[in-house]
Amino acid sequence: MQLHNRGVRQDVRELGALLGEVLEGQTSRKAFETVETCRREAIDYRAGELDSREALIAELEGLSPHQQRIVSRAFTTYFELINLAEERERVRSIRTESNEDTLEDSLETAAEELAEADTETVERVLDDVLIEPTFTAHPTEARRKTVKSKLRRISTLLERLDEQLLTEKEQGQVWRDIDAEVTSLWQTPQVRNRQPEVEDEARNVQWYLENTLFDVVGEVYDELAEAIDEEVDGTLEIPKLFEFRSWAGSDRDGNPYVTPEVTANTLERQRSVILERYREQLKRLSGVLSQDGSRIDAGEEFEASLEADRKRLPGSARTAEQRYPGEPYRQKLKLMRERLERVGDVRPGGYDTVDELLDDLEVIANSLRANSGESVADAHVDPIRRQVATFGFSLASLDLREHQQKHTDAIAETLEGEEIDYHALSEDERVEFLTDAILQDETIVDLTETENLSDASARVLTLFDKLGDWQTEYGVEAIDTYCISMTDEPSHVLEVLFLADQAGVVSLPEHCGLDIVPLLETEYALSGARRIMGTLFENEAYAQALEARGRTQEIMLGYSDSNKENGFLAANWSLYKNQRRLAEICDDFDVTMRLFHGRGGSISRGGGPMNEALLALPNSTVTGQVKFTEQGEAIAEKYGNPRIAERNIEQMLNAQLRSRLYAIDQPEEEVREEWVDAMETMADAARQEYRNLLETDGFVRYFEQATPITVIEDLDLGSRPASRSGERTVEDLRAIPWVFSWTQSRCILPGWYAVATGIDAYLEEGGSVETLQEMYDEWPFFRTTLDNAALSLSRTELEIAEQYADLADDELCERFFPRVSGEYERASELIQTIGQRDELHTRDWLGENLERRNPYVDPLNILQTYLLDRTHRTDIEERTLRLTVKGIAAGMKNTG
């Protein structure tokens, strides 16, 4: 059976040829030939047919500013099209392997492993698992929304060519449409002329939830249900396994533009969107459920439900009976649509809770099954039930986030009127004061009294004042989590509980409307996890809040800042150890832990294949519930195409089901003591070398001169500033532009620096390569860590990176580049030795991918370094420089 009509090479060749035609038509033959010359010289050098890049460098530097801009645009557009070709190839692989039953990490393979356990254990695994992807607005998406829309249309046309049998005339029409889109893409500005607003980012996240995930989630549930039915004995009900969350429109940390109005608008828009999708689904279902009431017995339960709706909405009931005489299901569905129309409305009769809608759907499903309509219920009603259970009335629940210092300062300023010097209190005194204040019935502060406060503190109090209104209007589940950045002390968590108590969101011991989530991201916080969490669990006020939330504690781990502070190897080891430590603490206090992994898209920020990351977690931390951030260009890559989105969700679920099964079977992961000692030695040495690099005099100036950080800071990537205070220090710089800058210069230092120093330190202390090879073969954490470092090393191009290093002052270049390149060479050698392979990476597709891309990224890098070296750039040169950033990001398929 032939599933596809095309292959990736054909797509790349024909899209490239079409771009060439558009380029010539929109510019000139000379411009086309210039781009072709640059392309051939880059390819020839990579193929070994040229001894140096001098000809390419001379060609690019000799162009006029206008010609340089055309070249930059041509290569940028090429990558955007080639990314679509590779996306299409991924879809081909998924469909082909699924058809041939060779798809790895599928739900069928997960069900096979579950089938080896008893039914009670399988039920426990299913009940425990809850996966919460959390979409953030972090500014790592370099493409404009307009550009993404055009590319999505081209992708749809490629799919038609690949998967449908078309006549020659029909194929010609499709290519005509692709030509039109590529032409429009060429004529569209690539660089934003304004900074995105917060609501732009929220709408972007909403698009993926509404247009992709809403549809594919039901399909994943169906696949799992079929696999479980086939492999596992007994009849098992598939519970809710996914919940989607978002920070877009609610993450205030470092973003002054996230106002209460923005959050309120986001909540309203998301509710409107999801209710409209449900109404559409019920309208479609009405077209299916046309059963004649005189030929079926709808049942007492259904009749009672329909009669209740008639009393609730008498006018609408009369209309339904007139429109659908003798068709009870359609009458019921008409009234259900009306109830959805009235959610949040002043008119009575709307659904008050999601459970009411779920109950109505269950009533219909039960009635159908009682009338031998199992297949109808399975195919048409159950998918809607699963969508409603997953997305609720909020589409995605919002998490609030703010920096801990903001809460401390706001409370201190507010208490000045009570003649309390909160800043002067010790940590123990703060904990005691906050506990007493939370437990007493009277409020201490008026959150509406903000006139005498600083703007920052007024923002904090206003937020908590509005929070109660939002929960009343949209439901507690719509916005019920508060994340505290840079949590270092127990008081930082109690401050949020205190403010929520003053707002009436918390009323202990009966009610706590918030999960309060400490974000542990500094070494001080991670190493002090028992001090922080143990104090909270033993605290009388917090213990009551925890009890009201079902004794589940969410704890967030910051991968980005941990890496920027400690380096790749030390950060990964610290996170691993502290995950186990947190699991022990929670177990000691009989608390269920839900880890929230603050992962970025790049390896250095916790990125990499999610299914591998979930399987590599320590067994003791796998409670079934897991949460992780999805951000930037990774969202588009994972969730832009429905088939790829479904595959990603399937892999996550496969990994989490298996991980939970392993954790139940073996709660404590067996890790040899000599492996732990080896990691301690490696991590300590790696951290010392990494910190030494960052703290060496002149390194910040080298970073500023040898990467395009100054350009990246000025790009309109997101609504949030690039640094926390505008200072030029590595500590103050946000992790995203830090990684983005190194990625642009093809020296992905944050993803591998000091790995070699760490391994060599272990070997110098008497360790053996054989032990490291055993660790790689038998320990998922170590294997995943080294494989991720290998991915970053594979994408690093030292020869290009050296051109960026040459932009720095001679003394800085001579001091730092040999140190960096030496670490790269040694790390590459060691990882290949430990992995016992001839290539750095273990993925065949990556080699082909790099071979296809590298020659086309090189001209953009050369042009970027040329423009960076110019002390006075014209306006057109400035725009071209910014465009090279977009092009390299598209070519690397990664930013920060």
Side-chain angles (χ1 to χ4, degrees), residues 704-746:
E704 189 172 37
Q705 294 173 15
T707 75
I709 178 59
T710 54
V711 182
I712 288 168
E713 286 178 317
D714 289 336
L715 284 174
D716 295 321
L717 292 180
S719 64
R720 194 171 74 167
S723 65
R724 291 184 168 88
S725 67
E727 297 293 326
R728 170 63 78 237
T729 64
V730 173
E731 287 74 18
D732 185 72
L733 190 70
R734 294 192 182 279
I736 292 167
W738 164 251
V739 177
F740 198 166
S741 302
W742 290 113
T743 303
Q744 285 280 305
S745 67
R746 310 287 288 282

Side-chain angles (χ1 to χ4, degrees), residues 488-556:
D488 283 338
E489 303 291 352
S491 65
H492 296 157
V493 176
L494 291 175
E495 285 167 354
V496 170
L497 185 61
F498 166 74
L499 290 167
D501 174 72
Q502 301 301 293
V505 172
V506 170
S507 180
L508 299 177
E510 295 85 9
H511 175 70
C512 181
L514 279 183
D515 279 331
I516 303 176
V517 182
L519 170 46
L520 309 180
E521 45 196 331
T522 65
E523 186 60 32
Y524 174 75
L526 288 166
S527 61
R530 181 168 286 277
R531 169 181 54 82
I532 296 170
M533 301 313 303
T535 300
L536 289 170
F537 293 156
E538 291 176 337
N539 180 271
E540 184 180 358
Y542 195 78
Q544 290 184 19
L546 192 62
E547 197 68 39
R549 299 298 292 180
R551 298 195 65 76
T552 295
Q553 176 64 56
E554 184 173 308
I555 302 170
M556 186 173 184

Side-chain angles (χ1 to χ4, degrees), residues 268 271 313 338-352 473:
E268 179 60 35
R271 182 171 69 178
L313 303 167
E338 180 62 28
R339 294 191 70 186
L340 284 170
E341 188 74 43
R342 299 186 183 202
V343 172
D345 202 333
V346 293
R347 296 173 296 170
Y351 287 109
D352 291 324
E473 172 69 18

Side-chain angles (χ1 to χ4, degrees), residues 590-606:
D590 192 27
V591 171
T592 299
M593 180 179 69
R594 176 169 59 238
L595 280 180
F596 184 3
H597 302 274
R599 296 160 52 93
S602 59
I603 295 296
S604 50
R605 297 185 55 242

